[in-house]
């Protein structure tokens, strides 16, 4: 490994860390008047894309341990936003579904996402954002292995 490689690695790590921390601060600030947290929003957003996945699927998707995933799901279930059902084909698996109560947050979620993208992408073209998103997905796949 050359010195330039170390600098590049440090720059990537530092910038990803800054983006993540600021994103979390932004989400928690924007969600302060709701009953949702940044972490909970992440799970709800995933379920909007694919309702009925298993708890294990969610844990794998976000590379979060099963216990932490179970706690967040339990909290959301307690708020009446999610419902856990035993999978009919595999009694050990629990499928997670959004409840109708989540609908009351749909506008809030869309507004928060738009505000973030306006802030995040203020000086960046849609093409650059799409390329960045694609590159981040590739990086995430590489480190998941």
């Amino acid at each position: 490994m050359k010195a330039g490689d170390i600098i590049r690695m440090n720059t990537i790590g530092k910038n990803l860390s800054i983006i993540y921390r600021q994103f979390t601060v932004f989400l928690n600030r924007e969600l302060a008047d709701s009953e949702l947290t940044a972490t909970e929003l992440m799970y709800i957003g995933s379920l909007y894309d694919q309702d009925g996945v298993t708890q294990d699927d969610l844990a794998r998707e976000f590379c979060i341990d099963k216990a932490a995933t179970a706690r967040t799901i339990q909290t959301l279930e307690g708020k009446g936003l999610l419902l856990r059902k035993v999978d009919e084909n595999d009694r050990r698996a629990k499928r997670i579904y959004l409840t109708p109560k989540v609908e009351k947050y749909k506008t809030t979620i869309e507004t928060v996402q738009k505000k973030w993208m306006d802030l995040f992408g203020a000086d960046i073209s849609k093409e650059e954002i799409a390329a960045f998103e694609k590159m981040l997905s590739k990086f995430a796949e590489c480190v998941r292995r």
Side-chain angles (χ1 to χ4, degrees):
M1 184 179 282
K2 297 179 253 169
D5 294 337
I6 293 170
I7 292 169
R8 210 171 5 263
M9 185 176 74
N10 288 343
T11 302
I12 291 169
K14 176 183 77 174
N15 288 325
L16 286 174
S17 177
I18 290 167
I19 292 167
Y20 173 74
R21 283 193 322 273
Q22 293 306 307
F23 181 58
T24 302
V25 167
F26 169 84
L27 286 177
N28 285 325
R29 184 179 63 238
E30 291 295 317
L31 296 169
D33 292 335
S34 75
E35 63 179 317
L36 299 176
T37 66
T39 301
E40 293 167 348
L41 183 69
M42 177 178 74
Y43 285 97
I44 289 170
S46 181
L47 289 164
Y48 268 129
D49 290 338
Q50 191 175 1
D51 203 19
V53 297
T54 66
Q55 248 179 247
D56 288 351
D57 291 338
L58 286 172
R60 273 191 300 278
E61 178 180 351
F62 295 111
C63 290
I64 296 174
D65 67 79
K66 291 178 183 182
T69 299
R71 281 191 301 273
T72 301
I73 289 169
Q74 185 174 22
T75 299
L76 286 166
E77 192 175 30
K79 293 177 180 181
L81 301 172
L82 298 183
L83 181 64
R84 276 190 278 199
K85 292 183 181 178
V86 174
D87 186 302
E88 293 175 7
N89 299 319
D90 180 356
R91 309 280 306 151
R92 296 168 297 163
K94 292 182 181 150
R95 296 215 169 260
I96 312 301
Y97 298 92
L98 296 171
T99 67
K101 187 176 178 184
V102 168
E103 282 302 309
K104 80 177 192 178
Y105 293 106
K106 193 168 188 169
T107 302
T108 301
I109 292 167
E110 289 169 351
T111 301
V112 168
Q113 286 176 337
K114 183 178 179 344
K115 276 182 162 179
W116 173 255
M117 290 311 296
D118 289 347
L119 174 69
F120 181 75
D123 299 323
I124 304 170
S125 73
K126 289 183 183 200
E127 293 78 18
E128 289 172 312
I129 290 174
F132 177 66
E133 197 174 355
K134 187 175 181 179
M135 198 177 312
L136 277 178
S137 292
K138 284 184 177 181
F139 286 150
E141 282 306 311
C142 288
V143 297
R144 274 193 168 121
R145 298 178 190 170

